[in-house]
Amino acid sequence: MIDQSIASLAKKLRDKDISSVELTQDYLARIKQLDGQLNSYITVTEEVALAQAEAADKLIAAGSTSALAGIPIAHKDLFCTDGILTTCASKMLYNFVPPYESTVTARMLASGAVTLGKTNMDEFAMGSSNENSHFGAVKNPWNLDKVPGGSSGGSAAAVAAGLAVAATGTDTGGSIRQPASFCGISGLKPTYGRVSRFGMIAYASSLDQAGPMARSAKDCAHILQSIAGFDANDSTCSEVATEDYTANLDAPLAGLTIGLPKEYFGDGLNNDVATAIQDAVKEFEKLGAQVKEISLPNLNLSIPSYYVIAPSEASSNLSRFDGVRYGYRCEEPKDLMDMYKRSRGEGFGKEVQKRIMVGTYALSEGYYDAYYLKAQRIRRLIKEDFVKAFEEVDVIMGPVAPTTAFGIGAKTDDPIAMYLEDIYTLSVNLAGIPAMSIPAGFADGMPVGLQIMGNYFAEAKLLNVAHKFQQATDWHTKTPSLVEGA
């Protein structure tokens, strides 16, 4: 069953070929069998999942037409889930059990989806390799010595290894697209505001966006259909009407204009990755698309801009974790100040502490104008680059990352090298546009992701473009040997 799409599983469930309880039991058994090698889950909710599966079977028997009814899904461990441990992969929240449900998970539950558990991640979503988790690093199912990408690496590894049909992720600077690329699955970062952030523990509020991670673009469309739309609980959620994201997946690509930014194909891009991307673009030409070279001249400024804005917002958002109300509190504090300092010093990991300090510095008196305000002005320039580009092209394509998945520990002592892994993804978050990664080949035996970027609220077009490519190729059907041998 692990190679089945959401649509095909939904049909089997409706036709009574299998029950949701049986399907859920199958996935729970696979988690027990394989996740000891991958560490993709922090919490497995076996009792909850089976109860939800039983309810889903009754929903289906009553005539439910929801594509997600009875489908086993995993959630990144920063979505608040009522009565289920939610840690953000941090010691700071090691015992936090939310009394409410995030909008994303609530909408999926309303669609009848089954929650298998909460997936591992970089602590508070800060990282590009999933090595920053308090619960240990996640392994890439294609090669256990490699990282799965971050921060949604647990979700990506779980889907790639067949430990969930699909999963939720969040993308602040590439954290859905990069792990999707490294693990050979599809992942969509929607337009900022397309999906509610209510109940999503914040890293950088003006950049974070939730989205689906699955084997195919069509599966991503089914999940986006469930979670997208206005939410009064989130003041940043857009009131722009949602579309039927599955309606036009098969629309032909004749007349589509693809923009290739010259800045994406310069120094630093691995030659084999570049070849895989160029071959993918040729496939689109066969499908009737036209290709045009474009320029995004401020791309090189995305890293310095992002690594001022994101830490600044993190400094503000994470100030609430002080050892007073919930989460980790140090033992036997001498006084209030000692409790604050030790609780935060012991509760946060090194990467989180580093970003908090950078952000606090950038926001401090005398430096706000020099750093934070200037970074926001650069952000505007990056957005204008995309606005201008979309006057000439329908979508923009390029690599997701300059390399395939790198070795565990290979970049932990070189933060600059780690941050450079995000060079092709950060600008999308700064501009707020939608983008996705789909499997487009292999380099050195590891998956390569093609990044497709669209104009604001053009998720349906992105999904159509990705789906047509996946109808013409089979990269998204490949599975790691770890799965084949299970």
Side-chain angles (χ1 to χ4, degrees):
M1 290 291 179
I2 63 162
D3 59 348
Q4 299 287 305
S5 68
I6 286 176
S8 63
L9 287 173
K11 186 177 186 303
K12 288 181 183 295
L13 289 167
R14 288 195 301 271
D15 293 344
K16 307 298 187 294
D17 292 336
I18 189 172
S19 69
S20 179
V21 169
E22 291 170 331
L23 185 61
T24 300
Q25 287 172 334
D26 185 36
Y27 275 92
L28 289 170
R30 290 184 57 78
I31 292 169
K32 289 179 182 177
Q33 179 187 5
L34 294 176
D35 201 47
Q37 300 176 67
L38 296 173
N39 196 32
S40 65
Y41 280 86
I42 291 174
T43 303
V44 178
T45 54
E46 183 171 354
E47 291 184 8
V48 170
L50 291 173
Q52 291 175 351
E54 188 174 343
D57 282 331
K58 293 177 182 177
L59 195 66
I60 293 166
S64 171
T65 58
S66 169
L68 296 184
I71 303 296
I73 304 289
H75 294 298
K76 186 175 181 179
D77 200 24
L78 55 57
F79 290 100
C80 287
T81 40
D82 189 3
I84 299 173
L85 186 67
T86 301
T87 70
C88 263
S90 177
K91 183 178 180 180
M92 182 60 77
L93 292 177
Y94 77 103
N95 63 353
F96 176 54
V97 178
Y100 68 100
E101 199 79 32
S102 74
T103 297
V104 165
T105 54
R107 286 178 173 175
M108 293 190 75
L109 288 173
S111 297
V114 174
T115 301
L116 289 170
K118 310 294 287 293
T119 54
N120 206 345
M121 54 182 282
D122 281 306
E123 183 182 6
F124 283 100
M126 299 184 194
S128 304
S129 65
N130 222 143
E131 295 173 280
N132 296 329
S133 170
H134 173 65
F135 300 94
V138 178
K139 312 290 180 62
N140 191 313
W142 289 91
N143 184 331
L144 298 178
D145 293 325
K146 305 275 190 179
V147 302
S151 63
S152 304
S155 290
V159 173
L163 307 188
V165 177
T168 54
T170 62
D171 195 310
T172 305
S175 291
I176 286 175
R177 289 161 289 153
Q178 189 240 31
S181 175
F182 282 7
C183 291
I185 66 167
S186 303
L188 170 65
K189 177 255 172 216
T191 304
Y192 181 79
R194 178 74 295 173
V195 178
S196 172
R197 293 187 302 106
F198 177 75
M200 195 174 97
I201 298 172
Y203 163 20
S205 300
S206 74
L207 300 165
D208 298 341
Q209 186 61 191
M213 305 180 76
R215 290 176 62 84
S216 69
K218 189 173 184 178
D219 283 358
C220 287
H222 283 298
I223 297 173
L224 185 64
Q225 195 68 47
S226 172
I227 65 176
F230 175 69
D231 176 18
N233 290 321
D234 177 6
S235 63
T236 65
C237 199
S238 174
E239 296 188 50
V240 173
T242 59
E243 301 179 54
D244 183 342
Y245 297 110
T246 63
N248 296 309
L249 289 174
D250 292 316
L253 300 187
L256 181 80
T257 303
I258 298 170
L260 295 183
K262 61 184 181 181
E263 292 83 5
Y264 278 54
F265 295 92
D267 294 340
L269 179 62
N270 176 277
N271 290 334
D272 292 336
V273 171
T275 298
I277 299 303
Q278 290 160 358
D279 288 346
V281 172
K282 290 176 184 176
E283 192 65 44
F284 280 104
E285 290 181 296
K286 293 178 186 177
L287 294 171
Q290 300 176 335
V291 177
K292 179 177 183 178
E293 183 179 86
I294 62 170
S295 178
L296 299 173
N298 292 296
L299 175 73
N300 65 315
L301 299 177
S302 59
I303 288 181
S305 176
Y306 176 90
Y307 281 104
V308 170
I309 293 171
S312 295
E313 295 184 8
S315 171
S316 177
N317 281 325
L318 271 61
S319 64
R320 72 193 70 176
F321 303 114
D322 54 10
V324 176
R325 287 153 290 203
Y326 55 89
Y328 177 78
R329 178 184 293 186
C330 68
E331 295 183 1
E332 300 180 0
K334 298 176 182 177
D335 51 33
L336 184 62
M337 187 57 66
D338 181 53
M339 186 188 72
Y340 284 156
K341 289 181 177 179
R342 286 176 49 211
S343 294
R344 288 173 64 80
E346 296 169 14
F348 290 131
K350 290 183 180 180
E351 183 65 25
V352 174
Q353 290 182 29
K354 179 170 64 178
R355 297 194 192 197
I356 288 173
M357 288 189 289
V358 168
T360 303
Y361 179 82
L363 293 175
S364 61
E365 185 177 1
Y367 296 100
Y368 179 90
D369 290 351
Y371 294 105
Y372 185 74
L373 189 60
K374 186 174 290 185
Q376 291 286 19
R377 288 171 176 163
I378 293 171
R379 181 181 192 170
R380 180 70 184 188
L381 295 176
I382 291 169
K383 176 181 177 179
E384 289 173 354
D385 285 347
F386 281 108
V387 170
K388 182 178 179 181
F390 285 120
E391 292 174 357
E392 304 176 38
V393 301
D394 298 305
V395 295
I396 298 171
M397 293 186 185
V400 175
T403 65
T404 56
F406 47 89
I408 293 173
K411 299 181 187 289
T412 51
D413 295 328
D414 189 348
I416 301 301
M418 185 75 80
Y419 295 164
L420 285 171
E421 284 292 319
D422 300 330
I423 182 65
Y424 304 131
T425 56
L426 296 176
S427 56
V428 163
N429 298 79
L430 291 166
I433 63 172
M436 67 184 303
S437 171
I438 58 172
F442 287 83
D444 297 323
M446 297 300 291
V448 174
L450 169 70
Q451 183 172 202
I452 311 173
M453 294 155 273
N455 210 341
Y456 295 97
F457 302 104
E459 288 83 5
K461 172 55 70 176
L462 288 187
L463 290 162
N464 161 229
V465 171
H467 177 66
K468 294 298 288 185
F469 178 80
Q470 291 182 336
Q471 285 185 315
T473 63
D474 65 353
W475 299 118
H476 65 292
T477 68
K478 305 295 184 183
T479 53
S481 58
L482 175 76
V483 175
E484 294 168 359

